[in-house]
């Protein structure tokens, strides 16, 4: 069953502002796999559950045409506001009913989104729209983040963040389980394609101010669930973390 979150306008705006895009390195790994498996030139990439489109834009220079799709009107509106490349367009639709012809896409991606879909239906739909030897990339990040600040206080920083995540844990959507890696691994093992590649951990390094880190965590579904449940508690938690 699909799970619809991320639909509010404020949430969509925080997505554009704070969410981390997949790194160039990770994108290159995906493209190398497509290149080796199917070969170019690449015509169409479809980024399903594209949100505000940061990841979608990274595909633009590699494909003649890129289409980001999302079920949330607010997310698509945000993506359209930031769409600059002429070969990138967006469609409002469910992951389980993609508006593309059979055998039309070279690559289908789902970045931090697959876990929210009706996964069996999405996989069937992806199979329908992919060209023969087309590729599917399911990308996600976990809470295994490590923070550092200059050469000092990293240990304290990480301890505070672990406490932050622990406070959010009761609000974590049960779909995700204890760690979304298990969900992805299970899907990976069940997908009956002969050529597939599992990358458990691709570290990326990025620098950001405290406000962006807070914005990122506050965009997570667990924080949003707390915010809906008890806005004052959510605000106090954020303030406590910032002060510490
Ligand atoms: C965690 S966000 C990820 C957004 C973006 N791909 C990124 O990496 O920042 C998940 C997105 O999937 C979308 N989504 C959830 N369920 C969906 C479904 N069944 N069909 C299409 N989009 C869906 C949500 O609206 C949301 O924008």
């Amino acid at each position: 069953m699909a799970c619809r979150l991320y639909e509010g306008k404020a949430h969509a705006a925080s997505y554009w502002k704070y969410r981390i895009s997949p790194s160039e390195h990770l994108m290159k790994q995906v493209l190398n796999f497509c290149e080796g498996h199917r070969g170019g030139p690449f015509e169409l990439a479809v980024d399903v559950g594209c949100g505000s489109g940061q990841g979608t834009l990274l595909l633009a220079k590699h494909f003649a045409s890129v289409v980001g799709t999302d079920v949330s009107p607010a997310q698509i509106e945000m993506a359209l506001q930031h769409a600059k490349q002429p070969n990138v367009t967006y469609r409002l639709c469910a992951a389980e009913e993609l508006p593309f012809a059979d055998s039309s896409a070279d690559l289908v991606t789902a970045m931090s989104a697959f876990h929210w879909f009706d996964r069996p239906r999405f996989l069937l739909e992806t199979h329908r729209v992919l060209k023969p030897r087309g590729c599917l990339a399911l990308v996600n990040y976990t809470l295994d983040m490590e923070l550092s600040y200059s050469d000092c206080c990293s240990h304290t920083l990480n301890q505070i963040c672990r406490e932050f995540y622990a406070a959010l844990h009761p609000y974590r959507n049960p779909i995700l389980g204890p760690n979304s890696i298990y969900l992805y691994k299970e899907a990976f093992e069940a997908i009956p394609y002969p050529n597939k590649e599992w990358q458990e951990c691709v570290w990326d390094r990025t620098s950001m101010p405290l406000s962006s880190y807070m914005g990122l965590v506050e965009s997570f579904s667990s924080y949003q669930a707390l915010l809906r449940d008890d806005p004052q508690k959510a605000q106090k938690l954020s303030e406590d973390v910032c002060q510490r």
Side-chain angles (χ1 to χ4, degrees), residues 6 15 19 49-51 70-72 75 93-96 111-113 117:
Y6 309 100
Y15 250 72
R19 292 297 274 218
C50 63
D70 203 284
V71 79
S72 156
Q75 294 282 8
C93 64
E96 302 80 9
M111 309 185 202
S112 312
F117 303 160

Side-chain angles (χ1 to χ4, degrees), residues 69-243:
T69 73
D70 203 284
V71 79
S72 156
Q75 294 282 8
I76 290 290
E77 194 184 316
M78 192 56 55
L80 284 169
Q81 277 176 30
H82 296 94
K84 301 239 161 34
Q85 288 99 323
N87 62 335
V88 178
T89 53
Y90 292 97
R91 302 285 297 265
L92 180 67
C93 64
E96 302 80 9
E97 288 173 44
L98 297 171
F100 302 98
D102 295 357
S103 308
S104 56
D106 298 279
L107 172 68
V108 172
T109 55
M111 309 185 202
S112 312
F114 172 68
H115 42 273
W116 301 122
F117 303 160
D118 179 329
R119 296 187 288 277
R121 286 183 59 212
F122 165 71
L123 291 172
L124 282 176
E125 190 60 346
T126 297
H127 186 69
R128 182 185 68 74
V129 305
L130 277 177
K131 292 177 182 174
R133 302 185 69 78
C135 298
L136 165 66
L138 304 174
V139 176
N140 193 28
Y141 54 77
T142 66
L143 281 180
D144 303 303
M145 293 184 267
E146 278 186 21
L147 280 78
S148 61
Y149 180 75
S150 302
D151 282 330
C152 74
C153 66
S154 297
H155 178 75
T156 313
L157 260 182
N158 283 298
Q159 185 54 36
I160 293 169
C161 292
R162 272 193 289 277
E163 288 170 27
F164 193 9
Y165 306 149
L168 294 177
H169 193 74
Y171 299 90
R172 186 175 166 84
N173 193 303
I175 283 180
L176 298 168
N179 187 327
S180 56
I181 282 187
Y182 304 127
L183 180 157
Y184 279 80
K185 185 82 182 172
E186 198 179 298
F188 175 78
E189 273 158 12
I191 289 171
Y193 294 139
N195 292 319
K196 45 187 188 177
E197 197 174 300
W198 171 261
Q199 295 276 350
E200 175 132 339
C201 179
V202 182
W203 280 99
D204 189 18
R205 197 183 181 88
T206 182
S207 43
M208 60 174 74
L210 174 64
S211 56
S212 297
Y213 168 74
M214 293 302 294
L216 172 68
V217 179
E218 287 171 1
S219 79
F220 290 166
S221 58
S222 50
Y223 188 90
Q224 293 291 316
L226 169 59
L227 198 59
R228 276 193 301 278
D229 196 56
D230 189 341
Q232 282 182 344
K233 189 172 168 188
Q235 196 185 345
K236 176 147 186 357
L237 179 63
S238 291
E239 283 168 5
D240 285 352
V241 172
C242 285
Q243 272 168 16

